[in-house]
Amino acid sequence: GAGVSQSPSNKVTEKGKDVELRCDPISGHTALYWYRQSLGQGLEFLIYFQGNSAPDKSGLPSDRFSAERTGGSVSTLTIQRTQQEDSAVYLCASSLVGLSTDTQYFGPGTRLTVL
Amino acid sequence: AQSVTQLGSHVSVSEGALVLLRCNYSSSVPPYLFWYVQYPNQGLQLLLKYTTGATLVKGINGFEAEFKKSETSFHLTKPSAHMSDAAEYFCAVSDDYGGATNKLIFGTGTLLAVQP
């Protein structure tokens, strides 16, 4: 079956521009996570969705970062006024119901480069 | 807060040799532990996980890990390395046990090189 998909796979933008990153989770998965992978910070959690609600936004690094999920499916991560330190690979994952024991299935990521 | 430490950011083994990747965790509650593998330019793929029950967990591609509570460890092993095992490996713990979120806390990763 189809796994988690993300688009675009690569995004190059200029400092100060806004970007939107998309995640399509596995069909039927109610839990969705965004992580960021960068050389300096490793793999870090950004935000967790259960359905369309985000009970944990504790990993968002600043108010320039926001995310939404609609229809309990697709999620969009938006970064406003991008900075060079935002350059990273943004990974999306989904799991069946969001239990601690659930396997999180990861997408291939979006590589963001801010010039 | 829960955390994971991976000793050795780079490990190199010869093809056919034992693979041992170390992971220690810090948790105030029984942890749920995971090993993921990441091949170049790809997302993370689950190798295995420990939730409850048997402490020796077998995963895909011949990997296994043993949960040792007394040592707070969850080391990953494979008896005989293959060239295709070259990748980066991440140990993770599921945070917020029973809480409102179950995000993964990752270690810093170990890059495994396999020499012919």
Side-chain angles (χ1 to χ4, degrees), chain A residues 35 37 56 98 100-101 104, chain B residues 36 38 49 101-104:
Chain A
Y35 295 87
Q37 186 174 25
D56 188 354
S100 296
T101 53
Q104 293 186 25
Chain B
Y36 280 85
Q38 186 177 35
K49 65 180 179 182
T101 181
N102 295 300
K103 59 182 178 279
L104 292 174

Side-chain angles (χ1 to χ4, degrees), chain A residues 33 35 37 42-45 48 55-56 58 89 91 98-109 111, chain B residues 32 34 36 38 41-44 46 49 51 88 90 94-98 100-107:
Chain A
Y33 307 78
Y35 295 87
Q37 186 174 25
L43 267 162
E44 52 182 349
F45 165 80
Y48 160 64
D56 188 354
S58 63
V89 177
L91 294 167
L99 295 176
S100 296
T101 53
D102 279 357
T103 295
Q104 293 186 25
Y105 296 87
F106 284 78
R111 181 175 298 277
Chain B
Y32 298 137
F34 303 76
Y36 280 85
Q38 186 177 35
N41 299 314
Q42 294 187 27
L44 282 75
L46 181 74
K49 65 180 179 182
T51 54
E88 190 157 22
F90 293 92
S94 183
D95 196 13
D96 210 342
Y97 177 81
T101 181
N102 295 300
K103 59 182 178 279
L104 292 174
I105 304 298
F106 288 92

Side-chain angles (χ1 to χ4, degrees), chain A residues 6 21 34-37 46 65 77 79 85-92 108-112:
Chain A
Q6 294 185 245
L21 312 179
W34 284 97
Y35 295 87
R36 181 169 71 173
Q37 186 174 25
L46 297 178
F65 287 73
L77 178 69
I79 310 173
E85 60 263 28
D86 299 334
S87 295
V89 177
Y90 290 81
L91 294 167
C92 176
T110 293
R111 181 175 298 277
L112 175 66

Side-chain angles (χ1 to χ4, degrees), chain A residues 76-89:
Chain A
T76 302
L77 178 69
T78 301
I79 310 173
Q80 295 179 314
R81 305 180 303 281
T82 52
Q83 304 294 312
Q84 288 184 333
E85 60 263 28
D86 299 334
S87 295
V89 177

Side-chain angles (χ1 to χ4, degrees), chain A residues 8-109:
Chain A
S9 56
N10 282 283
K11 177 71 176 179
V12 180
T13 190
E14 294 179 348
K15 178 181 173 181
K17 301 280 190 180
D18 297 352
V19 295
E20 287 188 351
L21 312 179
R22 176 187 169 107
C23 172
D24 282 88
I26 293 173
S27 177
H29 282 194
T30 63
L32 186 147
Y33 307 78
W34 284 97
Y35 295 87
R36 181 169 71 173
Q37 186 174 25
S38 58
L39 284 175
Q41 302 299 322
L43 267 162
E44 52 182 349
F45 165 80
L46 297 178
I47 187 170
Y48 160 64
F49 285 93
Q50 179 57 249
N52 292 336
S53 301
D56 188 354
K57 306 178 183 178
S58 63
L60 294 178
S62 75
D63 58 8
R64 295 186 296 105
F65 287 73
S66 63
E68 66 174 10
R69 189 179 184 193
T70 56
S73 181
V74 172
S75 176
T76 302
L77 178 69
T78 301
I79 310 173
Q80 295 179 314
R81 305 180 303 281
T82 52
Q83 304 294 312
Q84 288 184 333
E85 60 263 28
D86 299 334
S87 295
V89 177
Y90 290 81
L91 294 167
C92 176
S94 70
S95 71
L96 189 58
V97 294
L99 295 176
S100 296
T101 53
D102 279 357
T103 295
Q104 293 186 25
Y105 296 87
F106 284 78

